Amino acid sequence: MPRFLPITPDGLAERVIQSILTANSHTVIAVDGADAARPVALAQRIVAALRDAGRSADVVSLHDYVRPASLRMEFGRTDEMSYRTAWFDYAALRREVIDALRGNGRWLPALWDEAADRSARAAIRTAPPATTIVLAGPMLAGRHLDADLSLRLDLSEPALRRRTPHDAQWTIPALLRHDAENPYTPTFFVRWDHPERPAIRVEDRAR
């Protein structure tokens, strides 16, 4: 049966990177969490820990892989189905970051500027040996992203509602439905209702 142990955010980052430190090839970590969980902030902690250990690492935010507003908002600005299926370009993320990194050692840090609603005009980067890219954003499960490690920042529904800004409350049904339809077992499952006091799930071994 799983149980949960308290851990600090920095301790969590250190635990996540342990198996990456000896990798000789490029690796990908997925930090899956609603925007209310601030997955990019934790991804940045993980990247900082990797760099402190002398490894090449960088963050890719899912919000830098949104689709143009004409596609995202074709059925209105607050359409649940659009948020789940048309808001983010998961296929481009897989193609331009994961496959490109593993295939030719190059990757595109951003595809679309969400605020300006135009191409991000980002330059393709060449990855040093054994680079780790940390993907961060909502609804990563079930997108065929094939990460080497996955980390789930789990918010209870009350915490999700409490932490989501008023103008983004419409996204909550989409997030809950996506989670219900895409159950999975991440490498690390973390209760994140109180980000300053997270708890990590551990499996009790049969005796």
Side-chain angles (χ1 to χ4, degrees):
M1 293 293 292
R3 57 193 176 94
F4 288 83
L5 297 178
I7 192 169
T8 66
D10 286 336
L12 175 60
E14 290 293 337
R15 180 172 293 200
V16 168
I17 72 170
Q18 286 309 303
S19 63
I20 297 295
L21 294 179
T22 57
N24 295 318
S25 58
H26 300 312
T27 51
V28 176
I29 298 173
V31 180
D32 179 18
D35 289 340
R38 300 186 63 211
V40 172
L42 182 63
Q44 291 168 339
R45 282 183 186 262
I46 294 170
V47 164
L50 284 165
R51 290 175 176 172
D52 287 346
R55 308 284 292 193
S56 172
D58 220 323
V59 176
V60 173
S61 169
L62 183 60
H63 278 276
D64 287 326
Y65 272 80
V66 296
R67 289 192 168 101
S70 60
L71 298 177
R72 299 197 312 270
M73 302 177 188
E74 181 179 2
F75 300 102
R77 292 180 175 272
T78 59
D79 182 72
E80 174 194 340
M81 181 64 75
S82 295
Y83 188 66
R84 287 195 294 123
T85 64
W87 205 270
F88 302 105
D89 198 338
Y90 298 96
L93 182 67
R94 183 172 62 249
R95 180 182 66 249
E96 302 294 342
V97 179
I98 300 173
D99 293 347
L101 176 71
R102 290 173 175 158
N104 55 34
R106 305 177 74 192
W107 57 284
L108 184 67
L111 182 67
W112 197 258
D113 185 324
E114 186 172 11
D117 195 32
R118 62 171 175 78
S119 170
R121 300 176 183 172
I124 293 174
R125 298 182 185 177
T126 299
T131 288
T132 296
I133 298 298
V134 185
L135 311 176
M139 301 181 291
L140 298 184
R143 308 295 185 176
H144 308 291
L145 296 178
D146 190 26
D148 297 283
L149 295 177
S150 57
L151 173 62
R152 167 67 181 172
L153 302 181
D154 189 69
L155 291 175
S156 65
E157 184 173 343
L160 177 62
R161 294 188 182 281
R162 184 173 64 250
R163 293 183 173 276
T164 300
H166 177 73
D167 61 356
Q169 289 279 317
W170 65 271
T171 65
I172 293 174
L175 293 165
L176 295 174
R177 183 168 181 178
H178 177 83
D179 289 347
E181 293 179 353
N182 293 274
Y184 74 113
T185 302
T187 314
F188 302 94
F189 182 93
V190 185
R191 286 180 172 164
W192 203 249
D193 283 10
H194 304 283
E196 70 284 359
R197 301 189 309 277
I200 188 169
R201 183 173 66 191
V202 296
E203 302 292 335
D204 283 336
R205 296 180 181 271
R207 295 184 179 181

